[in-house]
């Protein structure tokens, strides 16, 4: 029987740190579209303590790679009913 889940939600798919680093090294992440390093670390800290994080990289709510999404200013935490990034920034 076929596994119809997205590949990021399957247990056999792993995104490694080299892949994430390659994406973050692209020109798009060296612009005014990105949050400061401090805010980025705050966002990642919130993600790492989230019950919806799978494998240290994948958000089970939206399917994104949190190390990439957390870098972009226009993105918000998709946690249902709570923006964990805002809550983390205040505490």
């Amino acid at each position: 029987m076929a596994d119809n889940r997205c590949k990021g939600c399957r247990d056999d798919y792993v995104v490694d740190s080299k892949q994430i680093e390659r994406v973050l090294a692209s020109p798009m992440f060296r612009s005014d579209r990105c949050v400061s390093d401090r805010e980025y670390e705050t966002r990642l800290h919130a993600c790492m303590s989230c019950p919806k994080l799978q494998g240290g990289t994948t958000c089970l709510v939206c399917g994104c790679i949190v190390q990439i999404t957390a870098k972009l200013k226009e993105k918000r935490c998709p946690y249902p009913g709570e923006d964990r990034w805002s809550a983390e920034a205040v505490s």
Side-chain angles (χ1 to χ4, degrees), residues 9 15 28 31 48 54 71 78 81 85 88 90:
C9 293
V15 177
M28 137 179 206
S31 71
M48 294 304 142
Q54 178 177 311
K71 192 74 173 158
W85 292 348
E88 186 72 20
V90 173

Side-chain angles (χ1 to χ4, degrees), residues 2-18:
D3 186 349
N4 293 328
R5 295 179 294 166
C6 71
K7 68 181 180 181
C9 293
R10 295 192 319 244
D11 292 333
D12 63 339
Y13 184 80
V14 177
V15 177
D16 66 35
S17 60
K18 288 183 182 183

Side-chain angles (χ1 to χ4, degrees), residues 7 18 27 42 47 49-50 53 57 62 66 79 83-85:
K7 68 181 180 181
K18 288 183 182 183
T42 299
C47 292
S49 64
C50 182
L53 183 68
T57 59
C62 70
V66 298
Y79 194 86
D83 181 344
R84 293 176 61 89
W85 292 348

Side-chain angles (χ1 to χ4, degrees), residues 1-90:
M1 184 169 223
D3 186 349
N4 293 328
R5 295 179 294 166
C6 71
K7 68 181 180 181
C9 293
R10 295 192 319 244
D11 292 333
D12 63 339
Y13 184 80
V14 177
V15 177
D16 66 35
S17 60
K18 288 183 182 183
Q19 291 168 308
I20 294 169
E21 289 170 13
R22 188 176 65 239
V23 172
L24 291 175
S26 72
M28 137 179 206
F29 290 96
R30 287 182 255 148
S31 71
D32 60 349
R33 298 179 62 203
C34 297
V35 297
S36 69
D37 290 343
R38 183 176 180 189
E39 185 171 351
Y40 179 62
E41 291 302 320
T42 299
R43 288 179 171 195
L44 286 182
H45 183 267
C47 292
M48 294 304 142
S49 64
C50 182
K52 297 291 185 181
L53 183 68
Q54 178 177 311
T57 59
T58 306
C59 174
L60 293 177
V61 176
C62 70
C64 77
I65 304 301
V66 298
Q67 290 86 345
I68 294 170
T69 301
K71 192 74 173 158
L72 299 171
K73 280 182 185 177
E74 81 265 2
K75 298 295 183 176
R76 299 289 173 255
C77 170
Y79 194 86
E82 176 186 1
D83 181 344
R84 293 176 61 89
W85 292 348
S86 293
E88 186 72 20
V90 173

